[in-house]
Amino acid sequence: MDHYRSRSPNSSYHSRHSAYDRERGDRGRNRCENQRLRPNNHRQHQSELAAEKNPQNSRALSTRRELYERDFPVYKQPVEVGNFSLDSERRFFNDSRQMRYYVEPDRNPNFNLRDGYKDRFIKRDDSVKEKLSHILRWVIANRSKLTTRMTTASPCALDVDFVTWRGHLTKLLTTPYETREGWMLAATKFRGTIYISEVETEAAQRERENRTERHEEMMYWGYKFEQYMCADNVHSAPDPDGVVNTNEAFCTVVQTRLADHRLLFSGEVDCRDKDPSAPAPPTCYIELKTSAEICTPKQRSNLHRFKLLKWWAQSFLPGVPRVVAGFRDHEGVVVSVETFHISKISQLIKNEYNCWRPTVCMNFCCDFLSFVKRAVTEDSHSVVYLFSWEPHKDVTYSVHRDSQYSFLPHWFIDEMSTRPDSHHQS
Ligand code: A3P
Ligand code: MG
């Protein structure tokens, strides 16, 4: 069922011209930018001259909001096709052992989010770039669920166009409204499927390496809130005296379709409704967030205009219907908790002046994926198409062969080159 289909009976996604088509007149300017963005080891894209004559090969995509103000694209209800867990040492398990259960808090919770920061916190090493490795492990363990065609030429083609993290898609959804942080996304086509993996920008690396102590502590608060709100078992209570270990994760893997793009992506899930009669995943999942206490109408408006965009994008993508937010004071104490229903957010923001719109987010993501499909023509595990974007600029890309950007691991390529039924334990 296409629950998220546009309600306008006269609208047809396919009958509309994409923003890409309307923006193609800009390609001369964008080619110059692309020259500047291209790293030294890059080999010139073969079809660049052709791009001059053929707008379908244009090298840039605009992110201007007004180009994406059209009917909401078809977005199929996401279906959970599996899940996996990462333990306290970041080891992968093809099961739900790290699932946690939501426990409703008091009206005035008074959770002290600073507790345990110094003595009961094990922080994941975020300088280690895991790229898509956990999702690829899951794909290997579950590929019979994802393959229908089995031919000699293509022994293991997945029935999806894109494989990526939900977080990468969230960045795409929010791009038309983002004014501060750019991104780089590496794309590789392998056996007909395009894998998309983020590359840390220099600016993001600088920021990560120069966080203030206050910022480091505030990042902990979000995880501490999760500990106050979640139990390890259906019948147990949260344990705020325990250790917060951010290596641990439970991830859902969902399949869906955005217009004609078949997507497989994974995202971390904070917890689920513990009622055994709750709907099946992903509908029983709950996202937890923290935010500064709201004392003025202006602060409420800012929550709607900026935070709700991120919260909506993150949860709408995998079909998680609820966000439970803990509002904290300056001392890091949660003073109130409020539930936001993802399906009601567009109503909530509609009176805000100059606010974000879900349709712009989804249409931009859709057009970006079309742009990627047109650009990523060579099917090779060692070729990376690197898409880059900085605020107030267009998305451009460069092509890299056997470079530091290659991200599909050898074990994945080898495993995908064998038939699932000829699998052997090595
Ligand atoms: P909050 O979002 O409540 O601050 P998530 O909400 O996506 O499950 O992430 C859990 C917590 O991880 C966040 O809680 C925050 O503490 C931390 N976190 C996640 N992404 C972050 C980012 N880009 N910068 C800083 N902290 C982040
Ligand atoms: Mg969360």
Side-chain angles (χ1 to χ4, degrees):
M1 265 196 297
D2 292 338
H3 287 298
Y4 300 110
R5 188 189 286 273
S6 158
R7 260 175 256 139
S8 163
N10 298 325
S11 71
S12 156
Y13 174 82
H14 296 284
S15 70
R16 308 269 156 167
H17 288 293
S18 68
Y20 160 82
D21 290 332
R22 273 176 270 154
E23 279 293 283
R24 64 197 182 198
D26 279 0
R27 69 188 184 280
R29 174 169 60 82
N30 296 325
R31 277 194 63 235
C32 296
E33 282 181 8
N34 198 43
Q35 295 286 353
R36 187 177 56 71
L37 279 168
R38 185 178 296 135
N40 292 338
N41 67 347
H42 166 255
R43 293 195 201 153
Q44 187 133 355
H45 185 41
Q46 297 295 310
S47 62
E48 193 157 310
L49 285 175
E52 284 293 293
K53 300 191 186 102
N54 180 2
Q56 286 301 310
N57 282 335
S58 177
R59 300 287 302 267
L61 179 73
S62 173
T63 63
R64 283 166 47 205
R65 294 162 202 179
E66 58 271 28
L67 299 168
Y68 303 96
E69 297 266 10
R70 44 179 206 267
D71 291 328
F72 203 87
V74 169
Y75 189 61
K76 276 191 66 178
Q77 174 72 49
V79 172
E80 184 178 80
V81 288
N83 51 55
F84 61 85
S85 294
L86 304 173
D87 74 0
S88 59
E89 290 164 50
R90 218 58 192 164
R91 287 178 302 210
F92 172 95
F93 294 89
N94 184 32
D95 58 39
S96 59
R97 68 184 65 192
Q98 294 289 350
M99 167 88 81
R100 292 181 298 176
Y101 298 84
Y102 176 74
V103 177
E104 184 125 9
D106 287 352
R107 271 184 69 81
N108 302 104
N110 279 320
F111 298 145
N112 177 10
L113 301 180
R114 307 184 79 161
D115 179 50
Y117 175 63
K118 290 272 184 248
D119 59 323
R120 300 191 320 282
F121 178 32
I122 298 172
K123 183 177 175 288
R124 180 171 77 87
D125 181 353
D126 54 12
S127 68
V128 176
K129 299 301 168 200
E130 300 174 322
K131 303 175 185 170
L132 295 187
S133 64
H134 299 305
I135 302 179
L136 301 180
R137 292 277 313 260
W138 182 89
V139 167
I140 294 292
N142 297 275
R143 63 181 160 154
S144 57
K145 289 184 189 172
L146 304 170
T147 53
T148 51
R149 293 162 289 146
M150 253 345 157
T151 64
T152 317
S154 178
C156 192
L158 304 181
D159 275 343
V160 295
D161 299 314
F162 293 97
V163 171
T164 192
W165 280 109
R166 177 268 309 273
H168 302 356
L169 295 174
T170 305
K171 284 199 176 171
L172 289 170
L173 258 62
T174 59
T175 293
Y177 299 103
E178 179 61 51
T179 56
R180 287 185 303 194
E181 289 171 11
W183 46 252
M184 291 200 289
L185 292 170
T188 289
K189 193 185 213 176
F190 176 59
R191 295 182 181 273
T193 294
I194 297 172
Y195 296 82
I196 298 180
S197 178
E198 188 173 32
V199 174
E200 189 175 50
T201 62
E202 277 179 28
Q205 183 185 347
R206 264 198 308 278
E207 201 160 285
R208 176 171 56 76
E209 288 170 351
N210 295 293
R211 283 182 198 131
T212 61
E213 183 54 24
R214 171 80 177 172
H215 187 190
E216 286 284 349
E217 183 177 337
M218 286 182 74
M219 284 176 65
Y220 166 79
W221 293 359
Y223 299 109
K224 184 66 188 175
F225 180 60
E226 293 175 8
Q227 189 192 51
Y228 277 114
M229 300 284 286
C230 301
D232 288 345
N233 301 292
V234 180
H235 300 294
S236 63
D239 175 20
D241 297 329
V243 169
V244 170
N245 186 328
T246 58
N247 288 292
E248 296 174 0
F250 167 74
C251 295
T252 181
V253 182
V254 302
Q255 227 176 325
T256 184
R257 181 165 59 81
L258 171 57
D260 59 346
H261 307 302
R262 296 168 302 164
L263 313 178
L264 178 81
F265 58 85
S266 176
E268 188 172 345
V269 169
D270 290 334
C271 55
R272 63 158 288 162
D273 188 330
K274 65 178 172 181
D275 184 342
S277 61
T283 312
C284 61
Y285 292 151
I286 299 166
E287 172 61 41
L288 302 175
K289 291 288 178 197
T290 59
S291 196
E293 184 183 9
I294 288 168
C295 305
T296 66
K298 176 84 181 160
Q299 287 167 342
R300 170 66 59 176
S301 178
N302 282 340
L303 178 90
H304 289 178
R305 298 189 56 204
F306 305 110
K307 278 223 163 156
L308 284 193
L309 163 60
K310 308 245 165 159
W311 295 0
W312 172 83
Q314 182 188 29
S315 289
F316 178 76
L317 278 164
V320 171
R322 280 185 286 170
V323 174
V324 174
F327 291 96
R328 52 167 164 74
D329 65 16
H330 281 296
E331 302 302 311
V333 174
V334 173
V335 291
S336 64
V337 170
E338 188 175 332
T339 298
F340 292 87
H341 294 270
I342 294 299
S343 62
K344 294 186 184 156
I345 284 181
S346 58
Q347 274 296 108
L348 211 54
I349 63 168
K350 79 172 195 302
N351 292 327
E352 298 292 346
Y353 174 71
N354 197 17
C355 201
W356 61 276
R357 294 188 61 205
T359 196
V360 169
C361 302
M362 295 305 281
N363 283 317
F364 172 73
C365 183
C366 187
D367 284 9
F368 173 77
L369 296 176
S370 301
F371 180 63
V372 171
K373 274 184 181 170
R374 281 192 298 271
V376 180
T377 48
E378 191 172 339
D379 195 312
S380 166
H381 62 81
S382 58
V383 177
V384 164
Y385 295 74
L386 186 61
F387 293 83
S388 307
W389 177 72
E390 287 171 56
H392 314 297
K393 302 240 171 87
D394 291 343
V395 180
T396 58
Y397 71 94
S398 51
V399 190
H400 307 262
R401 284 162 213 285
D402 302 308
S403 70
Q404 86 249 33
Y405 297 115
S406 293
F407 62 87
L408 289 181
H410 285 294
W411 53 260
F412 180 71
I413 295 153
D414 293 347
E415 197 71 32
M416 291 294 279
S417 304
T418 65
R419 283 176 168 278
D421 51 10
S422 70
H423 187 265
H424 53 273
Q425 224 42 52
S426 56

